[in-house]
Structures are given as C-alpha cells and as structure tokens.
Amino acid sequence: MGMLTDEELQAYRKAGKLLAEVREQVRPLVKPGARLLDIADAVEGSIAQRGGKPAFPCNVSVNEIAAHYSPPVNDDATIKEGDIVKVDLGAHLEGYIADTAFTVSTGENQELVQTVEQALEAAIEVVKPEIDVGEIGRVVEETVTAAGFKPIRNLTGHGLARWSLHSGLTIPNVQEETGQKLKVGDVLAIEPFITDGAGFAEDKEKVYIFRYLRDRPTRLRMARQLLNEIKRDYHGLPFAERWLAKRMSKLRLELTLRELVGAGALWPYHVLAERAKGKVAQAEHTVIVTEEGCEVTTC
Ligand code: MN
Ligand code: MN
C-alpha cells in the first residue's frame, strides 16, 4: 500500500486494535461520580497492560473544555450529573500511532453526541485518494450545521507518521480549499469537534501537557537534566506533568517545566475552552487511505 511497507501497515493496525479495545473497556467508567484522574489512569494502564505506550496523555475534557485537560496528580475533579465528557486517547507501538476519542453525555446534549458521531462517519465516507482534505471539512460542516450546531473551526484533525502526532496534513472541520490532496498510504486522525456555542476554541492559562521541541540553554541544571530525560523517554511525543510527578516535588516540577517552556525547549498545550462556554462533543478515528477509500484502524 503506497508509502507504507507491509510491516508499517501491520503496526498501525495493531496499535489501532489495541486502542479500540482500551476505549471499549474504559467507556463504561465514564459516568457521574467518576474521577477524571481514574479514567485517565485506566486508559493509560490498559494501554500499558496490552503492550503499548501512550502516544499522548489521556485527555478527559468536560463541558465547555474542548481538549488538553489531562488530570494533574491528586486531581479530585469528578463527573457530575448532566456533564458532557470527551475522552481522547492515543497509543503507539514503536512509534506507530493510533488516536481515537469519544464523548459521553450524562444528561441532555445526546443530540450533540449523535451529531458528532454522524459527522465523523460522513467524513470517513468521503475519504479516498485525490480528494482535497477540505472535502472532509465540507461534509463535517454540512452534517453539523444541518443539526443546528457548529463545528469548532480552529480545531482540526491531522496526519500521523512514525513518532509524529502531527505530520504534514491538517484536516479541517469546516469547508476549505487547502490544495492538499490525499494519497494512498496517508494515515489520518479525523476528529470533528462540535458545539452549541460560538464554534471557536481558545487557550486557557492552565497547561498539563507538554512536548519536547529542542535543546536550549537553561539556567537551572535540574531543568537541563529533566529535558534530557524527557527527550529520551517520550521521543518528541506529548507527555503529562503527572507522568513526572515522582521525580520531584510538585512545586519544583512546575517551576522546572515553566523554565523549559520559557526557554523554548518545551511546547505547552494549553487547556482549550469553547469561547462562548458552549458544550463541546468530539469523535475521532484513525484511518489509512486505501485505493478505494480508507481503512479505519481504531474501530
Ligand atoms: Mn485524539
Ligand atoms: Mn488527534
């Protein structure tokens, strides 16, 4: 198949299957009373138990939070009756990544959840070689607006490559002429985010997820050491503050990470919230473009 060797194709399929099993195992845990931290731990524990590694920290984002909330150490936030909860999980096998997400509504907003699932399904239907990636955005936007909701226009899907969570392609959730065409062997994460709010996500101050960018001089020797460990352990993939909690005190860790962000050594993924505090739903699958259409690895 195109740019992928048979081994690579098998690795993507294996990672996708592993992650789909984790998703279905964890889905029933997403209910009122559950701690967000327990959900993230269950996801990451189950990935490890099945022989994979997290491709990024599990995101558990509630209501108007769209993405990038990965519970910090000792987080006691719980799901409340009526909450709408996005769980976004990723796993890799030797760098071959699978990325999937689902939404659970514990109250109203069932229609928002159904619509985002329909939008993802419609998007997967149009995937084939030679289409402009903007075509995916068009069907997402049409499906979502027909139901009376809005896609979040500044959140997108992305191409995947070995050890890279965002390679080359950006997959819009609104109609766009991108000039970028799909080809056989492209690996894509398609992920509509939709809302009953303004349709725009913005950064909050909080950061719980980071990614190694480059070596930079640091003032603190400790920061230098931590950066080397991050580089070695996560291969440029995102990691959680929580994963480093055993290495030093919380205060010291926060200061060190802040210094590394300030030095340009780490990228901070700010928590993203819907601008008008609208409720947000997300659905996501990883697909591989084939001659006839695409193969979903995460179903
Ligand atoms: Mn994802
Ligand atoms: Mn993704």
Side-chain angles (χ1 to χ4, degrees):
M1 190 182 297
M3 309 275 291
L4 296 178
T5 66
D6 205 48
E7 280 84 16
E8 288 176 311
L9 182 60
Q10 296 308 331
Y12 277 117
R13 282 177 176 154
K14 206 171 160 193
K17 185 166 186 289
L18 180 158
L19 193 65
E21 287 169 6
V22 173
R23 183 188 62 222
E24 296 316 313
Q25 182 191 337
V26 169
R27 195 189 292 270
L29 308 180
V30 184
K31 58 186 182 192
R35 296 169 78 217
L36 308 190
L37 184 56
D38 290 341
I39 293 168
D41 282 343
V43 164
E44 292 166 10
S46 177
I47 290 170
Q49 207 171 36
R50 293 166 197 272
K53 290 197 169 150
F56 53 84
C58 177
N59 293 209
V60 188
S61 306
V62 178
N63 295 336
E64 77 274 14
I65 304 301
H68 299 169
Y69 187 93
S70 191
V73 177
N74 298 330
D75 189 6
D76 54 15
T78 59
I79 297 173
K80 292 173 194 57
E81 205 69 60
D83 282 349
I84 181 167
V85 185
K86 281 77 63 189
V87 180
D88 192 336
L89 55 156
H92 75 85
L93 294 168
E94 297 297 326
Y96 296 99
I97 298 170
D99 185 359
T100 189
F102 65 98
T103 301
V104 172
S105 172
T106 66
E108 295 162 17
N109 306 304
Q110 300 293 346
E111 202 191 337
L112 198 64
V113 177
Q114 282 162 15
T115 303
V116 82
E117 286 168 0
Q118 282 163 9
L120 177 57
E121 219 169 283
I124 289 169
E125 279 298 309
V126 298
V127 170
K128 62 179 181 186
E130 290 306 310
I131 67 157
D132 188 293
V133 295
E135 180 68 4
I136 298 173
R138 186 184 64 77
V139 299
V140 168
E141 186 169 23
E142 278 179 10
T143 308
V144 173
T145 53
F149 301 117
K150 289 179 181 156
I152 297 186
R153 56 180 49 246
N154 63 326
L155 297 181
T156 63
H158 46 98
L160 291 166
R162 192 175 186 199
W163 298 114
S164 175
L165 201 54
H166 201 305
S167 76
L169 296 169
T170 294
I171 316 294
N173 287 318
V174 292
Q175 177 160 23
E176 238 174 57
E177 266 299 326
T178 71
Q180 289 191 298
K181 291 195 188 318
L182 297 180
K183 59 185 193 308
V184 173
D186 281 342
V187 186
L188 314 174
I190 303 176
E191 51 181 317
F193 287 84
I194 74 169
T195 182
D196 58 4
F200 203 86
E202 53 191 18
D203 281 0
K204 307 280 278 181
E205 203 185 317
K206 285 285 185 189
V207 178
Y208 302 110
I209 303 172
F210 302 84
R211 176 169 61 86
Y212 170 82
L213 283 180
R214 63 183 80 85
D215 287 337
R216 297 285 295 161
T218 55
R219 199 166 41 81
L220 301 171
R221 178 152 172 233
M222 195 171 54
R224 175 89 216 146
Q225 272 173 8
L226 188 68
L227 186 63
N228 282 333
E229 290 173 23
I230 287 166
K231 194 174 157 183
R232 183 195 65 206
D233 293 349
Y234 308 126
H235 297 268
L237 292 171
F239 63 91
E241 181 187 301
R242 173 168 43 87
W243 295 354
L244 302 171
K246 290 203 179 85
R247 307 199 192 197
M248 55 184 88
S249 75
K250 187 173 166 61
L251 184 65
R252 183 167 274 208
L253 179 58
E254 278 173 11
L255 284 171
T256 309
L257 290 171
R258 196 176 309 164
E259 180 180 347
L260 290 169
V261 169
L266 295 182
W267 176 260
Y269 291 87
H270 286 265
V271 171
L272 290 166
E274 212 287 317
R275 177 176 282 174
K277 289 196 183 327
K279 299 284 201 286
V280 178
Q282 175 202 15
E284 179 176 24
H285 274 308
T286 299
V287 310
I288 301 173
V289 180
T290 61
E291 299 285 354
E292 302 80 28
C294 70
E295 171 181 334
V296 181
T297 68
T298 48
C299 69

